[in-house]
Amino acid sequence: EVWNPNGKYRVISTKPMPGTRWINLLIEQDCRVEICTEKKTILSVEDIISLIGNKCDGVIGQLTEDWGETLFAALSRAGGKAFSNMAVGYNNVDVNAANKYGVAVGNTPGVLTETTAELAASLSLAAARRIVEADEFMRAGLYDGWLPHLFVGNLLKGQTVGVIGAGRIGSAYARMMVEGFKMNLIYYDLYQSTRLEKFVTAYGEFLKSNGEQPVYWKRASSMDEVLREADVISLHPVLDKTTYHLINKESLATMKKEAILVNCSRGPVIDEVALVEHLKQNPMFRVGLDVFEDEPFMKPGLAEMKNAVIVPHIASASKWTREGMATLAALNVLGKIKGYPIWGDSNR
Ligand code: DGY
């Protein structure tokens, strides 16, 4: 699909993206916008090389694509200056290779913070209250009357929520669980971020001034402390070499037998084979997963586990957010072509 065919700058989007604002922004600035409408979900490096062709000023790409040496070399040969990942995470992008070929990289932080945190909260609740299991039970026509033991789950109020990675999304999630469900909080963050600390301190003061019960919170000195103490644990780290299989056989064994583990970050943060085994051995342990180790696949056995709630990487999937991500992604590319600053984490 081509918009503004006579535009001076050729910008490619490897996927159709929600809304039209992003297209209009590019057109207004004299871009020819080419949107790949190829049916297959994941484009290969070869597919993208042929999209880039001989002249391309910038590309908006997706987290399913492998943006390494080969693609940045191809983009640079075609005169490209900018690549924007339509995602906040950019573990699919080799930023060093981009730098080597003089291509600026942008991502889309901010607009997806609350949406992603809301999905982590939804998965926490769905796991705690066994919503998916109960839904399947109803649809199967198995409900034959109220029973005291039917789908008994966990009350979140007064339990402890554990957050690993207290950046934008982890902090927003913690805020929702503390404020919304009056959970106690324990968190661990590698980057000494003070964002969450500021919130819980101010919230504690607010509760005190209203004569309400204070919420207990602490910043843990190790991840294990969170794993040992929390009832619901949500993972929000960046995926890199240090966080690959952060949750493995040993760390799973550290958690409470009835804990809930939620992951809306990146699949490889969890050793999924070890997780499946843990779910089998501990039927009261529950998990809420938005991401998987080898997307779009799941490790054998996961789909059969009743104590797992699984959704297809939809944490940022609200209309407002996805249009915002598309707009930011377009602005990133446009910024570089036009010489404005690029929005994103990778080049700060
Ligand atoms: C991201 O932005 O990194 C998510 O995984 C998709 O929104």
Side-chain angles (χ1 to χ4, degrees):
E1 184 177 324
V2 179
W3 294 76
N4 193 30
N6 298 323
K8 177 169 170 201
Y9 308 103
R10 180 168 178 255
V11 174
I12 291 165
S13 174
T14 61
K15 286 278 167 223
M17 299 192 292
T20 48
R21 192 161 42 141
W22 69 275
I23 301 173
N24 291 332
L25 275 167
L26 290 167
I27 292 175
E28 276 162 22
Q29 297 295 322
D30 206 8
C31 295
R32 168 191 164 100
V33 184
E34 285 183 33
I35 305 171
C36 174
T37 52
E38 164 73 55
K39 283 279 171 288
K40 74 176 171 194
T41 305
I42 303 179
L43 297 185
S44 66
V45 166
E46 292 69 35
D47 293 332
I48 300 173
I49 289 178
S50 74
L51 285 177
I52 290 172
N54 298 328
K55 181 200 178 290
C56 175
D57 296 280
V59 177
I60 301 170
Q62 302 296 325
L63 60 85
T64 45
E65 298 155 8
D66 181 9
W67 279 84
E69 280 275 332
T70 318
L71 284 184
F72 286 116
L75 184 53
S76 155
R77 270 196 308 273
K81 295 189 182 68
F83 168 72
S84 190
N85 214 33
M86 189 212 173
V88 66
Y90 52 93
N91 54 292
N92 61 314
V93 182
D94 181 345
V95 178
N96 290 332
N99 289 341
K100 178 173 155 194
Y101 290 99
V103 177
V105 173
N107 63 337
T108 62
V111 286
L112 48 72
T113 302
E114 299 290 320
T115 313
T116 304
E118 281 183 13
L119 191 89
S122 309
L123 290 175
S124 307
L125 287 162
R129 301 304 300 274
R130 306 174 61 187
I131 290 173
V132 175
E133 270 180 273
D135 177 284
E136 282 170 359
F137 175 86
M138 286 300 286
R139 289 170 200 274
L142 297 171
Y143 183 49
D144 60 1
W146 190 91
L147 280 173
H149 290 294
L150 197 58
F151 290 110
V152 171
N154 302 356
L155 171 71
L156 296 183
K157 186 178 178 199
Q159 288 209 326
T160 300
V161 63
V163 174
I164 311 234
R168 283 176 292 249
I169 300 170
S171 299
Y173 167 80
R175 195 197 72 232
M176 288 173 194
M177 304 313 278
V178 168
E179 235 179 344
F181 302 103
K182 299 285 185 287
M183 296 188 81
N184 297 315
L185 169 69
I186 176 165
Y187 71 95
Y188 178 66
D189 186 51
L190 288 170
Y191 297 101
Q192 309 299 320
S193 153
T194 55
R195 177 191 324 257
L196 189 48
E197 198 162 319
K198 283 190 192 139
F199 160 71
V200 272
T201 311
Y203 187 58
E205 291 301 318
F206 166 79
L207 290 176
K208 210 158 96 188
S209 67
N210 277 286
E212 287 184 48
Q213 192 77 5
V215 166
Y216 170 81
W217 70 273
K218 78 169 167 185
R219 179 180 190 129
S221 51
S222 69
M223 184 179 82
D224 274 9
E225 205 178 329
V226 177
L227 301 183
R228 271 196 311 272
E229 293 182 23
D231 302 289
V232 180
I233 297 157
S234 192
L235 306 173
H236 300 278
V238 164
L239 171 64
D240 58 21
K241 281 194 212 94
T242 64
T243 58
Y244 175 79
H245 283 190
L246 190 67
I247 301 297
N248 50 38
K249 191 170 179 233
E250 289 70 42
S251 41
L252 286 163
T254 312
M255 296 181 207
K256 294 182 183 178
K257 289 264 181 260
E258 299 191 9
I260 290 170
L261 177 68
V262 171
N263 190 13
C264 290
S265 61
R266 285 289 182 268
V269 168
I270 300 182
D271 175 347
E272 212 170 285
V273 170
L275 178 68
V276 173
E277 196 46 38
H278 193 77
L279 287 165
K280 281 185 187 154
Q281 301 301 328
N282 299 275
M284 301 302 279
F285 184 89
R286 295 194 203 121
V287 74
L289 300 176
D290 179 47
V291 286
F292 304 88
E293 199 170 337
D294 305 311
E295 283 179 35
F297 307 107
M298 279 185 282
K299 295 289 187 209
L302 185 57
E304 284 78 55
M305 301 312 303
K306 287 272 176 227
N307 45 349
V309 179
I310 43 183
V311 295
H313 206 148
I314 54 168
S316 67
S318 77
K319 186 170 180 286
W320 184 88
T321 289
R322 286 285 164 86
E323 290 188 9
M325 289 165 77
T327 303
L328 265 187
L331 283 173
N332 281 339
V333 166
L334 200 52
K336 187 64 191 175
I337 292 172
K338 291 280 179 171
Y340 311 133
I342 286 232
W343 181 263
D345 292 340
S346 56
N347 51 324
R348 288 224 173 100

